[in-house]
Amino acid sequence: MPRKHVVCVLVVAALIVGFSPRAMAQGFSWWGYESVIEEIQDSGVLRVGLGLFEPWVVCDADGELIGFEIDVATRVAEDMGVEVEFARTNWSYIIPSLIAEEFDVLIGGMTILPERNLRVNFTSVYNSSGLYLVANTDQTAGLETLEDFNSSSVTIATRRATSAIPAIENVFPDAMILLYDTDTAVVEAVVSGEADAAVAYATTRTTWVEANPDTLHLPFEEPFASDVAGIAVRKGDHDALNFFNGWIAVRHADGWLEQRSHYWFETHEWADQVATDPMTIAECDASFQ
């Protein structure tokens, strides 16, 4: 290629990269904009967006956040040498909030789905979990198979905007889906009889039944579906993807992720830390609205 053509190509490339929206807002760099990783290091704070979802994120008796994702985000910040700050976000708006830069990264047990991947970039998988049914004992008497629950007369409750929705639509296409903003509201719907069943994860399925033994039961021991979760970052930030993928690989290799996953998803050792006071629970739920 002639020299003048090379120069022209480089100039055009520089203009395209240099005048990207993020470059205009943050200043030009060789790659067009600074990664959020550099912003975090400069500010000394990792801002993490998350929603309320036991046992990923739950409030303790003092109203403080605990859970698997709290452990993950805190460890990430520690490994980066920065502080961590949690942005409590309604799950329905959590992806738009990430895109709007209301926080730096989404570490909230978000299931990787094709439609979500069109809006954000996901890291490699750092956690996986099964989806189970918890049912109202009286209202589901006689329903013995998954196909029995696949009926227009059956209502299944779940959180709004979660990965459970496409799973329910796939396995129970004829059932009616009822959507709620919080886990508390989902459980209350099944206990009150407003819904026949609800979708729960490995740990929550047993805690919900143990808290309401006269009303709820587990119709099946095996999950009807499963999902995989990744850390979500804004599209195009390859440096952030590289850092978080590397972090996940290291913490898988040293067993840290598996250890925390076992604690939060396969034991109930943390159960006595969770808020039980109605006022504390209400305030916690409201902080994510």
Side-chain angles (χ1 to χ4, degrees), residues 203-218:
T203 302
T204 49
R205 69 186 174 116
T206 53
T207 56
W208 289 358
V209 172
E210 289 170 358
N212 304 275
D214 297 330
T215 311
L216 305 182
H217 79 291
L218 300 174

Side-chain angles (χ1 to χ4, degrees), residues 231-262:
I231 294 172
V233 300
R234 287 184 283 276
K235 290 178 69 67
D237 193 339
H238 304 296
D239 190 33
L241 278 179
N242 177 66
F243 172 79
F244 289 113
N245 279 332
W247 184 90
I248 290 168
V250 169
R251 296 303 163 219
H252 271 312
D254 68 10
W256 186 87
L257 278 169
E258 283 65 31
Q259 187 273 331
R260 299 320 298 160
S261 177
H262 174 79

Side-chain angles (χ1 to χ4, degrees), residues 29-43:
S29 73
W30 179 255
W31 297 110
Y33 61 86
E34 291 184 354
S35 168
V36 73
I37 298 299
E38 294 170 319
E39 296 175 25
I40 293 165
Q41 291 176 308
D42 289 342
S43 68

Side-chain angles (χ1 to χ4, degrees), residues 2-83:
R3 178 181 175 83
K4 63 179 182 180
H5 290 170
V6 173
V7 172
C8 289
V9 170
L10 291 175
V11 169
V12 171
L15 289 172
I16 292 172
V17 173
F19 289 98
S20 67
R22 286 179 64 86
M24 294 292 287
Q26 300 172 0
F28 177 78
S29 73
W30 179 255
W31 297 110
Y33 61 86
E34 291 184 354
S35 168
V36 73
I37 298 299
E38 294 170 319
E39 296 175 25
I40 293 165
Q41 291 176 308
D42 289 342
S43 68
V45 178
L46 171 65
R47 301 177 303 154
V48 177
L50 40 73
L52 191 65
F53 207 4
E54 185 180 321
W56 285 262
V57 179
V58 65
C59 284
D60 67 11
D62 298 319
E64 299 297 322
L65 297 180
I66 59 173
F68 176 73
E69 303 300 348
I70 303 303
D71 287 356
V72 170
T74 300
R75 182 60 187 268
V76 170
E78 178 184 325
D79 290 342
M80 294 183 76
V82 299
E83 300 296 319

Side-chain angles (χ1 to χ4, degrees), residues 9-207:
V9 170
L10 291 175
V11 169
V12 171
L15 289 172
I16 292 172
V17 173
F19 289 98
S20 67
R22 286 179 64 86
M24 294 292 287
Q26 300 172 0
F28 177 78
S29 73
W30 179 255
W31 297 110
Y33 61 86
E34 291 184 354
S35 168
V36 73
I37 298 299
E38 294 170 319
E39 296 175 25
I40 293 165
Q41 291 176 308
D42 289 342
S43 68
V45 178
L46 171 65
R47 301 177 303 154
V48 177
L50 40 73
L52 191 65
F53 207 4
E54 185 180 321
W56 285 262
V57 179
V58 65
C59 284
D60 67 11
D62 298 319
E64 299 297 322
L65 297 180
I66 59 173
F68 176 73
E69 303 300 348
I70 303 303
D71 287 356
V72 170
T74 300
R75 182 60 187 268
V76 170
E78 178 184 325
D79 290 342
M80 294 183 76
V82 299
E83 300 296 319
V84 64
E85 178 182 293
F86 297 111
R88 305 186 183 200
T89 309
N90 184 299
W91 194 254
S92 299
Y93 315 121
I94 202 163
I95 288 182
S97 297
L98 173 63
I99 295 171
E101 302 188 12
E102 294 179 15
F103 43 82
D104 302 318
V105 62
L106 200 169
I107 305 178
M110 175 164 278
T111 300
I112 300 172
L113 295 174
E115 56 268 32
R116 289 174 176 170
N117 227 154
L118 292 172
R119 305 178 67 193
V120 298
N121 287 161
F122 282 105
T123 63
S124 55
V125 174
Y126 71 104
N127 185 48
S128 60
S129 51
L131 297 172
Y132 298 80
L133 283 183
V134 173
N136 182 297
T137 303
D138 291 339
Q139 293 187 184
T140 59
L143 303 184
E144 300 178 351
T145 68
L146 289 177
E147 187 57 35
D148 289 338
F149 280 84
N150 182 32
S151 168
S152 59
S153 63
V154 173
T155 52
I156 301 177
T158 190
R159 285 279 299 274
R160 198 179 307 276
T162 72
S163 61
I165 297 173
I168 296 171
E169 292 173 338
N170 182 53
V171 180
F172 311 105
D174 294 333
M176 178 181 295
I177 303 174
L178 301 180
L179 302 177
Y180 300 87
D181 289 326
T182 66
D183 277 351
T184 303
V186 169
V187 178
E188 289 177 349
V190 184
V191 171
S192 68
E194 183 176 326
D196 298 311
V199 176
Y201 289 87
T203 302
T204 49
R205 69 186 174 116
T206 53
T207 56

